[in-house]
Amino acid sequence: MTEKEIEKLLNWYSKNKRDLPWRHTKDSYKIWISEIMLQQTRVEAVKLYYERFLSALPTIKDLAKVKEDVLLKLWEGLGYYSRAKNLKKCAEKVIELGLKELPQEKEEIEKLPGIGPYTAGAILSIAYNACTPAIDGNVLRILSRIHEDNRDLLKKSVKEEYETKLKKFMTKENARDFTESLIELGALVCVPNGQPKCEICPFLTVCKSKEHNTFMNYPVKKEKKKRKVEEKTVYILTYDKKYVVKKRGQNGLLKGLYELPNIDKKMSKIELKNYLKEQNYQINQIEELKEEKHIFSHIEWHMKPYVVILKQISNDPFYSKEEIEEKYSLPTAFKKIFQKIKE
Ligand code: ADE
């Protein structure tokens, strides 16, 4: 890879870049929000959240002050909710330090919660045009294919070697476009699934895996751990068009979000009926729904859902559908089931 290919890359980017909302700003706060949202999340999904989030919380100060329930409602459905909590912690820290915006030095910004080397590199180069490469899985895919690199790409030493390599091509003038152009190449040309579009790639003439047609071997895949399957009974507990949702505990998966009543095993209709009767619920009817699956990064929930219609209201917190939709952040796993209620 030489200056010539980098020139071709930047040229290709200027002609082919997608018009994305966060590409209209240099505000480090907005770039930061976009980068955190884009972790493990598709661009199309992020588009739906980014503008709404920034309208609700236009400055880092607003984010530092926001109530957790409001924040989680803005994040509802995006998944990996620790990202949202870290955003708030990070904003609080910046304000506590007496800063008006995110620090411009790599060592300082990396000390903040939720900001690792990739995110630091992305924010600093995109917002401040600093010569700090941003190397994520997509950029590593491109680099490993160009070099037919068989090494473990998650190793710090490998990433640092590539960082040093890329840094040489970055200038105060091109840093922002340099970072974005590699991201764009990974998304549009050197794609993860399916045939890469090598004919239009700026690295066509220097790419070893193009030369040997070995793109499918790179990046070298590690054997994936199997997800743990957890079986659950989830029920919509309802009385007079009101429904029960409760805040989850402050530990474990989906902590601090809201949930439908649930039990950590699959129950038949009879078992659920007896279970609820034992707790003195006055049941009118139980309706069985189709099983649902929800996949998290390391866990799968296999859920047996029911609608439990009560004869008499219980001591639980009941809300209307509108109230739940407006105020309480119900993770997608539960939403899939809650959406099944008839109007
Ligand atoms: N993925 C990570 N960062 C991105 C960005 N700035 N634009 C598009 N996709 C991205």
Side-chain angles (χ1 to χ4, degrees):
M1 186 193 301
T2 66
E3 296 277 355
K4 201 170 113 198
E5 283 77 42
I6 301 304
E7 205 183 307
K8 278 195 217 167
L9 170 70
L10 292 168
N11 234 325
W12 170 83
Y13 174 68
S14 73
K15 293 190 188 114
N16 296 284
K17 65 181 171 195
R18 290 165 294 175
D19 182 13
L20 302 174
W22 45 92
R23 290 190 175 154
H24 293 276
T25 182
K26 289 185 176 160
D27 181 334
S28 61
Y29 172 63
K30 294 180 181 170
I31 300 292
W32 170 45
I33 301 301
S34 74
E35 285 300 333
I36 299 297
M37 285 187 171
L38 285 158
Q39 291 169 6
Q40 287 115 356
T41 309
R42 289 173 306 107
V43 164
E44 287 311 309
V46 171
K47 277 187 186 171
L48 303 173
Y49 286 83
Y50 172 79
E51 308 266 18
R52 189 185 61 164
F53 188 99
L54 289 172
S55 302
L57 306 171
T59 69
I60 196 162
K61 237 182 180 168
D62 298 314
L63 174 57
K65 285 188 302 194
V66 71
K67 288 212 169 73
E68 185 172 278
D69 272 2
V70 175
L71 175 68
L72 292 174
K73 190 70 201 171
L74 287 166
W75 208 266
E76 182 186 65
L78 260 185
Y80 300 95
Y81 293 85
S82 59
R83 293 183 294 174
K85 291 178 191 166
N86 277 334
L87 276 177
K88 180 171 159 61
K89 271 194 220 152
C90 185
E92 284 168 350
K93 185 87 196 166
V94 169
I95 300 300
E96 193 186 301
L97 291 169
L99 303 172
K100 290 204 169 61
E101 58 174 16
L102 291 167
Q104 304 207 16
E105 303 76 32
K106 192 151 195 281
E107 304 75 58
E108 295 308 312
I109 199 169
E110 276 188 6
K111 283 183 197 159
L112 297 168
I115 302 192
Y118 164 77
T119 309
I123 297 169
L124 296 180
S125 58
I126 296 172
Y128 301 132
N129 248 328
C131 300
T132 50
I135 303 184
D136 70 348
N138 294 305
V139 174
L140 283 171
R141 179 173 62 255
I142 301 171
L143 294 168
S144 69
R145 286 177 176 172
I146 292 176
H147 298 99
E148 287 194 316
D149 190 337
N150 288 303
R151 292 175 298 174
D152 177 358
L153 301 172
L154 296 178
K155 263 192 161 167
K156 212 171 162 208
S157 58
V158 177
K159 276 195 197 163
E160 280 172 359
E161 184 190 304
Y162 279 127
E163 247 178 53
T164 310
K165 226 177 206 159
L166 293 182
K167 210 170 181 163
K168 288 193 189 128
F169 299 111
M170 295 179 86
T171 68
K172 256 323 268 153
E173 284 68 46
N174 77 11
R176 174 187 171 97
D177 284 353
F178 183 90
T179 290
E180 291 276 17
S181 63
L182 280 175
I183 290 171
E184 206 65 348
L185 196 74
L188 304 181
V189 175
C190 199
V191 292
N193 302 308
Q195 188 77 25
K197 301 181 176 71
C198 299
E199 297 66 36
I200 58 164
C201 182
F203 297 112
L204 171 68
T205 56
V206 295
C207 181
K208 285 204 183 134
S209 56
K210 168 61 185 165
E211 190 185 339
H212 306 130
N213 192 31
T214 55
F215 75 87
M216 66 296 260
N217 300 337
Y218 299 95
V220 176
K221 286 191 183 66
K222 268 204 170 160
E223 214 175 298
K224 272 199 186 148
K225 264 201 196 153
K226 269 212 163 151
R227 279 191 217 98
K228 187 172 160 226
V229 172
E230 291 183 356
E231 306 215 308
K232 286 191 175 292
T233 300
V234 179
Y235 52 102
I236 301 171
L237 192 59
T238 177
Y239 178 80
D240 192 21
K241 294 202 170 160
K242 300 223 168 176
Y243 308 90
V244 173
V245 292
K246 290 184 185 167
K247 201 173 170 83
R248 285 173 73 79
Q250 287 302 331
N251 290 308
L253 192 63
L254 304 174
K255 48 183 172 280
L257 283 93
Y258 285 76
E259 65 179 3
L260 295 173
N262 60 86
I263 304 154
D264 282 341
K265 64 172 184 171
K266 272 190 195 167
M267 280 187 180
S268 67
K269 192 167 159 174
I270 297 289
E271 282 173 315
L272 178 63
K273 194 172 175 180
N274 290 337
Y275 170 85
L276 291 170
K277 271 187 172 170
E278 272 171 29
Q279 297 174 61
N280 297 322
Y281 282 99
Q282 304 291 313
I283 300 163
N284 183 358
Q285 190 190 327
I286 298 185
E287 188 189 331
E288 201 168 341
L289 301 172
K290 211 171 115 261
E291 293 206 8
E292 282 287 344
K293 228 188 238 182
H294 188 77
I295 295 175
F296 300 95
S297 54
H298 307 299
I299 294 175
E300 269 181 52
W301 279 2
H302 292 190
M303 299 176 285
K304 178 71 212 154
Y306 295 91
V307 182
V308 178
I309 305 170
L310 294 177
K311 231 187 259 176
Q312 200 182 314
I313 199 157
S314 62
N315 278 335
D316 302 283
F318 283 84
Y319 306 97
S320 69
K321 191 164 175 267
E322 292 71 31
E323 255 178 308
I324 294 170
E325 281 167 0
E326 199 184 308
K327 288 196 214 138
Y328 301 105
S329 179
L330 206 54
T332 306
F334 295 111
K335 253 215 166 139
K336 283 179 182 171
I337 292 168
F338 191 58
Q339 273 161 357
K340 293 173 192 272
I341 53 168
K342 299 180 190 86
E343 294 301 324

